[in-house]
């Protein structure tokens, strides 16, 4: 693989400028244009793979609202003090310099599907031949009555990494012995199924490492069961005995709403007061996908399981948390895996490169306590109606500490691997 | 113990493997020669209380290393470089072995393998040479390190194979069909999309083993050992379940063609 350097890219764009002076009929060699909306695990991977594998034959533009990207995955480890904020924040510089991707920092406001143009918030338009939409999730604020964007400054959700993550960390670090944390967990489907429970583990780790034996964490869950439940509950009892109380709907009877002014969560059963309340509301595909009519009544975007192509528009591919990926969970690993299938199909459309049958995979690691890592994973294949799981595994309860430590260390390796796969190898 | 061993190999990416033919022969020769240990006892400049290595104990410790490293008469390069004439060797200097850039750099800056440098390196390879391809988390047990170094001192006195870079001939074993197939590196590159989410194509091993530049025999055998659960690792077992002979040969060809950076 020849990497496109800044210099060769400059030469190419120089050639493009030159071609503008030529008669229209000579401009047929203009490169096909791919625009990617969203620079996360799905979008940045897709952009990089299309640019890398087409070796400059495709013009790739990546539109992302933030100049740097803080990963949601591993943000719990920042809360638990296992990672610095800097270590989970990545730049787009390598995608621009080594892969010739035009990185546009800005907000895509709408998609003009007829004209095949992305309309930016500033009114400018970015034309495309193929569009990859990977906007992640938006929060459904009113799924928890009383909750709102403003309320999130008091009761952080921190389900999109960035300032919200720092806010939650500040509030977590300010908790004192005898105080209580309340988490309102999200209903299915949501980003990162084990995420809320890994976060509870990190809360407990911080409190117990300070010796706060009288601090409590209450989880109010709209679901009657959750991802890796046996593993988390075993771990909580082992590492943080008596600290975590998890209540499903058969106990609390339903979450009625939150009151940010009093820091309370009302349920059918009782009102819970938290010195820190972490509300993770219900979720839907990012706003732009809704506006463009790419989502259905589930709030997420249906796709063709063979290719990740939107069933609403053949020029558009939808990836990651925003799409309906059948049995695949909403995770960075899934998005990265889907992005490679989409990238291959985009290139197939535009450069007639070979398209192989789709292969998908996912593994999610979670940290319960220091050196106590667990994982769950599966492989997937497209069927007529969905992306279906073909084989899967999960860590077992009662595993010894050496295996758990190795699993945690493996997750560090995975983070290093996937972030360089998404953003290009830094340094 | 079984569990602990398994955990270690998970990080190292090397589950207990059958001895390669060369290493088996080397081990036999060693037992016969058994040179005087007193000449070879390593000095310990790191602690004030010197620990003396026991080569016999070190030979057992070396079991963790030998799925990648050969040492003794006729040793050849495998996943890792052969270890003959190791003491006094400049790091990253064997011709025909694809070292990481970081190790080659360290070598050109003057890192030479001896008791002291090996002791530091083996305690935590990634800390001493960040970016090394050696997928080994380290050996915190000082005694074990000293035993291992004492063993290497003896065993590495031998001469390597005439051509240490020659690939070992495939044996009749699991994966024989895949080994006989000429893998298509382009198909392998496509399939590698699934691998590189964790295994970095640059060859860096940050907690997940480096798999670039491996001899085909080792690569194919490793995948079949995951497939048949000789090596226990859930993710790799799952990944390999969907890989047939053509796929495995293609992946071996592709990753074998990459050079570490």
């Amino acid at each position: 693989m020849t990497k496109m350097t800044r210099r060769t890219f400059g030469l190419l764009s120089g050639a493009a400028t030159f071609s503008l002076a030529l008669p229209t009929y000579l401009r047929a060699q203009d490169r096909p244009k791919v625009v990617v909306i969203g620079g996360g695990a799905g979008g940045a991977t897709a952009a990089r793979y299309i640019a890398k594998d087409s070796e400059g034959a495709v013009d790739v533009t990546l539109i992302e609202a933030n100049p740097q990207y803080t990963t949601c995955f591993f943000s719990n480890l920042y809360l638990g003090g296992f990672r610095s904020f800097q270590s989970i924040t990545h730049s787009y510089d390598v995608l621009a310099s080594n892969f010739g991707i035009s990185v546009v920092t800005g907000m895509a406001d709408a998609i003009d599907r007829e004209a095949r143009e992305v309309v930016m918030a500033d009114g400018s338009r970015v034309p495309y031949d193929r569009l990859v939409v990977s906007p992640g999730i938006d929060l459904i604020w009113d799924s928890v009555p009383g909750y709102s964007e403003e309320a999130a400054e008091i009761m952080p959700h921190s389900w999109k990494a960035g300032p919200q993550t720092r806010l939650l960390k500040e509030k977590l670090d300010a908790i004192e012995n005898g105080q209580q944390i309340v988490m309102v967990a999200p209903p299915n489907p949501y980003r990162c199924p084990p995420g809320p429970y890994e976060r509870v583990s990190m809360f407990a780790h911080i409190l117990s490492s300070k010796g706060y034996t009288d601090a409590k964490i209450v989880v109010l869950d709209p679901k009657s069961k959750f991802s890796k439940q046996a593993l988390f509950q075993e771990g909580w009892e082992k590492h943080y005995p008596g600290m975590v109380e998890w209540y499903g709907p058969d106990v609390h009877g339903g979450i009625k709403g939150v009151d940010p002014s009093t820091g309370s969560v009302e349920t059918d059963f009782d009102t819970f007061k938290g010195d820190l309340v972490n509300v993770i509301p219900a979720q839907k595909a990012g706003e732009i996908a809704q506006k463009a009519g790419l989502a259905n009544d589930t709030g997420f975007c249906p796709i063709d399981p063979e290719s990740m192509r939107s069933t609403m528009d053949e020029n558009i591919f939808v990836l990651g948390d925003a799409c309906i990926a059948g049995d695949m969970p909403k995770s960075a690993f899934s998005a990265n895996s889907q992005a490679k299938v989409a990238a291959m199909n985009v290139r197939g459309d535009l450069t007639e490169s070979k398209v192989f049958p789709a292969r998908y995979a996912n593994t999610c690691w979670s940290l319960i306590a220091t050196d106590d890592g667990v994982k769950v994973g599966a492989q997937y294949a497209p069927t007529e109606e969905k992306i279906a799981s073909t084989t899967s595994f999960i860590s077992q309860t009662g595993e010894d500490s050496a295996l758990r430590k190795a699993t945690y260390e493996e997750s560090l390796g995975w983070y290093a691997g996937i972030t360089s796969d998404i953003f290009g190898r830094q340094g | 113990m079984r569990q602990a061993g398994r955990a270690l190999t998970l990080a190292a990416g090397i589950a207990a493997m059958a001895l390669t033919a060369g290493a088996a022969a080397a081990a036999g020769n060693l037992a016969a020669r058994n040179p005087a240990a007193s000449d070879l006892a390593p000095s310990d400049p790191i602690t004030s209380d010197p620990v003396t290595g026991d080569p016999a104990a070190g030979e057992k410790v070396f079991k963790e290393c030998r799925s990648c490293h050969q040492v003794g008469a006729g040793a050849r390069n495998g996943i890792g470089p052969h270890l003959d004439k190791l003491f006094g060797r400049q790091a990253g200097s064997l011709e025909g072995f694809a070292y990481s850039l970081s190790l080659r750099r360290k070598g050109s800056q003057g890192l030479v393998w001896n008791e002291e440098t090996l002791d530091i390196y083996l305690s935590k390879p990634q800390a001493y040479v960040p970016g090394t391809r050696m997928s080994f988390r380290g050996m915190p047990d000082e005694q074990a390190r000293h035993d291992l170094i004492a063993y290497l001192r003896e065993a590495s006195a031998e001469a390597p194979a005439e051509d240490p870079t020659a690939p070992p001939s495939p044996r009749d074993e699991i994966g024989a069909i895949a080994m006989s197939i000429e893998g298509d590196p382009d198909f392998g590159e496509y399939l590698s999309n699934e691998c590189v989410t964790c295994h970095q194509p640059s060859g860096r091993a940050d907690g997940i083993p480096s798999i670039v530049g491996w001899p085909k025999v080792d690569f194919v055998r490793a995948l079949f050992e995951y497939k048949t659960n000789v090596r226990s690792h859930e993710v790799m077992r799952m990944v390999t379940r969907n890989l047939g002979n053509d796929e495995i040969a293609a992946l071996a060809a592709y990753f074998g063609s990459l050079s570490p950076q």
Side-chain angles (χ1 to χ4, degrees):
Chain A
M1 228 290 300
T2 11
K3 273 187 184 166
M4 192 186 287
T5 62
R6 194 193 293 271
R7 195 158 142 247
T8 53
F9 183 63
L11 286 172
L12 274 175
S13 45
T17 313
F18 173 68
S19 75
L20 290 177
L22 295 173
T24 317
Y25 66 87
L26 281 179
R27 270 188 265 144
Q29 74 272 35
D30 276 1
R31 298 185 295 164
K33 291 179 175 56
V34 172
V35 175
V36 179
I37 299 175
T45 304
R48 193 173 84 86
Y49 271 73
I50 294 166
K52 168 174 88 74
D53 293 338
S54 70
E55 296 178 352
V58 177
D59 177 348
V60 182
T61 301
L62 175 63
I63 300 172
E64 161 61 40
N66 302 298
Q68 288 197 309
Y69 189 83
T70 301
T71 60
C72 242
F73 49 106
F74 267 36
S75 65
N76 283 332
L77 271 60
Y78 161 70
L79 297 175
F82 292 92
R83 295 288 288 223
S84 69
F85 194 79
Q86 194 51 44
S87 81
I88 59 167
T89 302
H90 302 267
S91 113
Y92 294 103
D93 293 353
V94 176
L95 294 184
S97 62
N98 289 12
F99 297 93
I101 295 167
S102 310
V103 179
V104 175
T105 305
M107 196 71 189
D109 183 55
I111 301 166
D112 183 342
R113 285 165 48 186
E114 195 101 332
R116 289 201 222 162
E117 288 174 339
V118 175
V119 185
M120 300 296 293
D122 65 7
S124 61
R125 288 175 164 254
V126 187
Y128 65 81
D129 295 301
R130 289 293 178 277
L131 177 67
V132 176
V133 179
S134 190
I137 50 143
D138 266 358
L139 303 171
I140 304 175
W141 300 105
D142 59 7
S143 65
V144 179
Y147 198 55
S148 64
E149 199 163 355
E150 298 71 50
E153 294 304 310
I154 301 160
M155 297 177 159
H157 56 81
S158 312
W159 219 240
K160 293 181 173 192
Q164 274 279 311
T165 318
R166 284 186 185 273
L167 180 63
L168 181 59
K169 176 70 175 157
E170 278 166 29
K171 289 181 181 284
L172 172 62
D173 287 345
I175 291 289
E176 291 169 10
N177 200 11
Q179 293 191 319
Q180 174 159 288
I181 300 175
V182 178
M183 171 190 278
V184 177
N188 289 321
Y190 62 97
R191 162 179 284 179
C192 191
Y197 313 98
E198 182 189 58
R199 180 176 283 179
V200 166
S201 308
M202 294 298 99
F203 287 167
H205 169 75
I206 290 289
L207 301 182
S208 85
S209 64
K210 288 178 173 173
Y212 292 175
T213 47
D214 288 333
K216 280 240 173 303
I217 303 164
V218 175
V219 186
L220 300 168
D221 208 321
K223 307 179 294 295
S224 53
K225 58 186 172 109
F226 61 86
S227 171
K228 298 179 187 163
Q229 183 164 0
L231 294 166
F232 280 115
Q233 291 187 324
E234 176 195 56
W236 294 340
E237 271 319 299
K238 179 179 169 193
H239 299 291
Y240 322 111
M243 187 178 278
V244 180
E245 291 169 16
W246 177 83
Y247 298 125
D250 55 338
V251 176
H252 61 67
I255 297 158
K256 295 281 158 220
V258 296
D259 184 349
S261 65
T262 57
S264 57
V265 182
E266 193 194 333
T267 70
D268 248 6
F269 166 69
D270 201 356
T271 296
F272 295 84
K273 254 185 87 67
D275 299 284
L276 161 57
V277 182
N278 176 204
V279 179
I280 309 168
Q283 294 153 35
K284 60 181 178 182
E287 177 67 20
I288 189 152
Q290 315 277 346
K291 271 173 80 174
L294 299 171
N296 64 17
D297 55 12
T298 65
F300 292 95
C301 305
I303 47 92
D304 164 29
E306 293 279 356
S307 62
M308 302 305 300
R309 198 186 298 271
S310 167
T311 58
M312 310 291 193
D313 188 326
E314 63 177 12
N315 299 316
I316 298 179
F317 295 75
V318 188
L319 305 180
D321 294 350
C323 77
I324 301 170
D327 294 342
M328 294 187 87
K330 298 189 186 302
S331 73
F333 199 127
S334 293
N336 171 266
S337 174
Q338 293 157 9
K340 293 169 187 175
V341 171
M344 176 176 63
N345 280 278
V346 166
R347 286 194 303 117
D349 283 7
L350 300 177
T351 66
E352 289 172 9
S353 64
K354 197 164 178 194
V355 176
F356 295 99
R359 305 171 73 99
Y360 301 100
N362 175 64
T363 300
C364 291
W365 286 264
S366 303
L367 186 62
I368 299 175
T370 305
D371 289 336
D372 190 355
V374 293
K375 59 184 167 181
V376 58
Q379 292 229 312
Y380 306 85
T383 65
E384 291 273 308
E385 70 271 25
K386 65 171 181 178
I387 300 177
S389 168
T390 54
T391 163
S392 67
F393 72 88
I394 184 164
S395 293
Q396 301 300 304
T397 52
E399 286 173 341
D400 72 32
S401 57
L403 178 56
R404 290 295 180 84
K405 183 166 194 265
T407 301
Y408 170 58
E409 287 175 359
E410 187 180 273
S411 76
L412 302 179
W414 164 76
Y415 187 87
I418 194 170
T419 50
S420 75
D421 197 36
I422 296 169
F423 301 105
R425 186 163 168 243
Q426 318 274 317
Chain B
M1 186 53 221
R2 203 186 125 64
Q3 282 293 335
R6 188 167 86 159
L8 184 60
T9 53
L10 276 174
I14 44 170
M17 284 177 79
L19 277 173
T20 58
N29 291 345
L30 260 173
R33 272 180 293 98
N34 193 21
S38 56
D39 304 344
L40 306 160
S43 59
D44 190 343
I46 293 153
T47 64
S48 52
D49 177 23
V51 182
T52 310
D54 169 8
E59 188 175 359
K60 294 199 181 85
V61 177
F62 187 69
K63 282 183 182 162
E64 283 179 32
C65 320
R66 69 188 174 195
S67 55
C68 297
H69 292 290
Q70 295 185 15
V71 67
R76 291 201 277 205
N77 294 334
I79 295 168
H82 77 76
L83 301 178
D84 284 354
K85 305 278 183 275
L86 174 65
F87 291 78
R89 185 201 289 175
Q90 181 186 317
S93 66
L94 278 188
E95 282 201 24
F97 186 82
Y99 293 96
S100 62
L101 183 60
S102 3
L103 196 72
R104 275 183 281 139
R105 251 189 217 140
K106 273 272 189 186
S108 60
Q109 287 163 2
L111 175 60
V112 171
W113 294 125
N114 57 35
E115 279 90 351
E116 297 156 45
T117 53
L118 282 170
D119 191 46
I120 308 170
Y121 183 56
L122 291 172
S123 67
K124 203 170 183 189
Q126 291 288 352
Y128 191 42
V129 184
T132 177
R133 279 174 67 207
M134 187 162 86
S135 311
F136 181 63
R137 73 157 75 158
M139 197 175 282
D141 180 344
E142 190 176 40
Q143 184 65 53
R145 287 200 310 274
H146 287 245
D147 291 345
L148 176 62
I149 292 165
Y151 167 71
L152 289 175
R153 192 53 149 153
E154 284 186 11
S156 68
E158 290 294 324
E162 213 157 281
D163 178 9
T165 62
S169 47
R171 289 173 292 141
D172 190 16
E173 58 178 342
I174 54 166
I177 296 173
M179 286 198 206
S180 69
I181 296 174
E182 195 61 48
D184 172 0
D186 291 340
F187 184 41
E189 181 171 11
Y190 159 66
L191 294 170
S192 77
N193 286 351
E194 224 172 308
C195 316
V196 297
T197 301
C198 298
H199 299 278
Q200 300 182 50
S202 63
R204 272 191 76 101
D206 292 315
I208 289 204
S210 163
I211 56 171
V212 311
W214 284 27
K216 179 181 179 184
V217 171
D218 295 298
F219 194 98
V220 171
R221 187 188 299 140
L223 289 193
F224 273 94
E225 286 182 348
Y226 284 120
K227 215 172 156 67
T228 52
N229 215 22
V230 172
R231 297 186 185 207
S232 317
H233 189 272
E234 299 91 333
V235 178
M236 287 309 299
R237 194 180 183 194
M238 187 179 76
V239 167
T240 51
R241 199 175 290 177
N242 293 337
L243 297 173
N245 289 322
D246 287 336
E247 283 88 359
I248 288 178
L251 284 166
Y254 172 66
F255 280 110
S257 75
L258 297 181
S259 305
Q261 289 159 25

